[in-house]
Amino acid sequence: MKRVIALLLALVLSLSLVACGGPDKQPAIDSYNRCSEAYNEFVAYGNEHLDEFTEEDIEFFNAIADYLNECADKLESDTEFTQEEIDEMVEMFDEFTGVMEEVMADFEG
């Protein structure tokens, strides 16, 4: 009887550990970091070549900065995310990174 109780207790403890853990935020954090790095390079270039950008371009990239700051706050908080939310963030950060890298390549080329 003690073995059965010990086995059930171990099973309950194992399940509670699994239930407490949500999806891993690390992929979203890594993707955010790559996006922020690309954004910072883009802004550094933009500050040196401000005459090449329209006011609309600047407003667009300011909006991206605001969004990135909002995402950083969420990722640094204790907010629980679903795997779908994490996947969406990774996809969006990767898309922003790709766009900024393409624009930078056009400027440099």
Side-chain angles (χ1 to χ4, degrees):
M1 186 66 172
K2 287 183 181 180
R3 288 183 183 178
V4 172
I5 292 174
L7 182 61
L8 286 175
L9 184 57
L11 180 61
V12 168
L13 290 174
S14 297
L15 288 175
S16 68
L17 286 175
V18 171
C20 289
D24 184 16
K25 292 195 285 188
Q26 194 60 48
I29 293 169
D30 293 342
S31 183
Y32 167 83
N33 288 337
R34 285 189 301 273
C35 186
S36 292
E37 198 173 296
Y39 179 81
N40 289 336
E41 289 175 15
F42 186 83
V43 168
Y45 177 86
N47 285 334
E48 292 175 11
H49 302 91
L50 200 53
D51 58 325
E52 296 179 28
F53 294 94
T54 66
E55 188 68 32
E56 198 173 274
D57 294 334
I58 294 169
E59 287 177 16
F60 175 71
F61 283 102
N62 283 336
I64 291 175
D66 292 341
Y67 181 74
L68 289 174
N69 288 329
E70 181 183 316
C71 290
D73 291 341
K74 286 181 183 177
L75 289 170
E76 291 174 355
S77 73
D78 292 334
T79 302
E80 294 283 330
F81 294 100
T82 65
Q83 187 62 50
E84 183 178 310
E85 290 171 320
I86 291 172
D87 292 343
E88 287 174 4
M89 280 192 272
V90 168
E91 183 178 334
M92 188 171 27
F93 293 143
D94 290 348
E95 187 175 323
F96 281 158
T97 301
V99 167
M100 286 183 277
E101 288 174 349
E102 285 178 26
V103 171
M104 287 299 295
D106 287 346
F107 284 132
E108 293 172 350

